[in-house]
Amino acid sequence: MTKMDKIGPRHVAIIMDGNGRWAQQRGRPRLVGHHAGAKRVREIVEACPDVGVKYLTIFAFSTENWKRTQTEVAGLMRLFRRYIEREARALLQEGVRVRFIGDRMKLDDKLVSLMDNLELLTSTNDKVHLTIALNYGGRDEVTRAAQRLAFEIEQGRLTHKDVDAETLAKFLDTQFLPDPDLVIRTSGEARISNFLLWQSAYAEYEFLDTLWPDFTSDEFKTVIGAYGTRDRRYGAVLA
Ligand code: IPE
Ligand code: IPE
Ligand code: MG
């Protein structure tokens, strides 16, 4: 198992942080940073096949980000809509399968329909699996999963004895994903801010000082390369 892991991470998750500070450093509004950050995504997605990363999951908007100003939230929602409209064709051609995780109930209909369409459009792609976490929170996800599980029990389709880790994981938004091997956070903050709480139980973490809009595919490749030197033990003692 360890030998296989040393080949490289199959699933990398990224907390794309630091857009606001990047803009502030330039005396620009925060949204300028978000636009610069969005531009970085394509480069990182395209680098994935070169380094053997099959699954890339990116944190775009958290369940806590609604606390920001109305201007910033509205600007971000507009950016997500435009991003999907503009990138759909390139994603399709690059062989990227796109899926979204998070609670869609709070998102506007236009955005949700763009998300649904992009998922459908790219559903037969298999080169890279890009998952975008939008209105995502780890606690919110586990709570929603528990609610659905409780409903199944209420309906008599499951009993409390069926509730184990494997079953619960099937109710999570990430049911179609393997657990992340490596979680990267940019911007110098060493916290996970409610990202993939359940799934990252045994992930490796990499906290980088680089602000997200400055994160290049070269730095990404360096981080992926360094991962190969780590020993993952999963609680056991290595032979
Ligand atoms: C991350 O950048 C993007 C989102 C949370 C939407 P931030 O906007 O958090 O940037 P900083 O942390 O304020 O620099
Ligand atoms: C995490 O960044 C969320 C995203 C990158 C989308 P935040 O900037 O929202 O997290 P905190 O506030 O520093 O914990
Ligand atoms: Mg931040």
Side-chain angles (χ1 to χ4, degrees), residues 16-19 21 30 68 185 187 189 191:
M16 309 184 290
D17 196 20
N19 295 347
R21 277 163 282 174
R30 296 178 58 84
R68 298 187 178 196
R185 182 174 188 144
S187 93
E189 311 296 346
R191 56 176 172 258

Side-chain angles (χ1 to χ4, degrees), residues 5-14 44 47-56 181-184 204 206 208 215-230:
D5 282 341
K6 284 193 174 181
I7 293 168
R10 196 158 77 104
H11 181 183
V12 176
I14 308 183
I44 303 305
C48 285
D50 301 343
V51 285
V53 172
K54 187 85 181 169
Y55 297 89
L56 179 72
D181 303 295
L182 174 66
V183 178
I184 299 170
E204 299 288 324
E206 194 67 60
L208 308 169
F215 188 65
T216 60
S217 57
D218 282 347
E219 189 171 5
F220 180 63
K221 288 176 184 173
T222 304
V223 173
I224 302 300
Y227 166 94
T229 63
R230 296 176 176 213

Side-chain angles (χ1 to χ4, degrees), residues 138-205:
R139 286 187 174 178
D140 178 68
E141 178 193 37
V142 175
T143 307
R144 284 185 288 106
Q147 255 169 29
R148 290 201 295 269
L149 199 48
F151 182 71
E152 291 302 302
I153 293 169
E154 212 171 82
Q155 297 295 306
R157 289 189 285 263
L158 292 176
T159 78
H160 73 277
K161 289 194 176 136
D162 295 316
V163 183
D164 54 18
E166 199 188 326
T167 306
L168 197 135
K170 287 190 186 134
F171 286 82
L172 295 172
D173 298 350
T174 52
Q175 52 186 266
F176 52 83
L177 282 176
D179 285 343
D181 303 295
L182 174 66
V183 178
I184 299 170
R185 182 174 188 144
T186 56
S187 93
E189 311 296 346
R191 56 176 172 258
I192 58 171
S193 303
N194 208 4
F195 192 42
L196 301 176
L197 296 181
W198 171 281
Q199 299 84 347
S200 300
Y202 273 99
E204 299 288 324
Y205 283 92

Side-chain angles (χ1 to χ4, degrees), residues 104-133:
R104 297 180 193 204
M105 300 295 271
K106 254 184 128 180
L107 301 172
D108 77 52
D109 293 346
K110 167 84 172 134
L111 177 58
V112 173
S113 87
L114 285 165
M115 289 158 63
D116 289 340
N117 288 340
L118 185 59
E119 286 186 336
L120 194 64
L121 181 75
T122 61
S123 61
T124 56
N125 279 348
D126 188 43
K127 194 168 167 196
V128 179
H129 292 244
L130 173 66
T131 303
I132 304 175

Side-chain angles (χ1 to χ4, degrees), residues 56-60 83 98-102 118 130-134:
L56 179 72
T57 300
I58 54 175
F59 204 2
Y83 180 83
V98 185
R99 278 178 288 206
F100 294 88
I101 55 171
L118 185 59
L130 173 66
T131 303
I132 304 175
L134 222 168

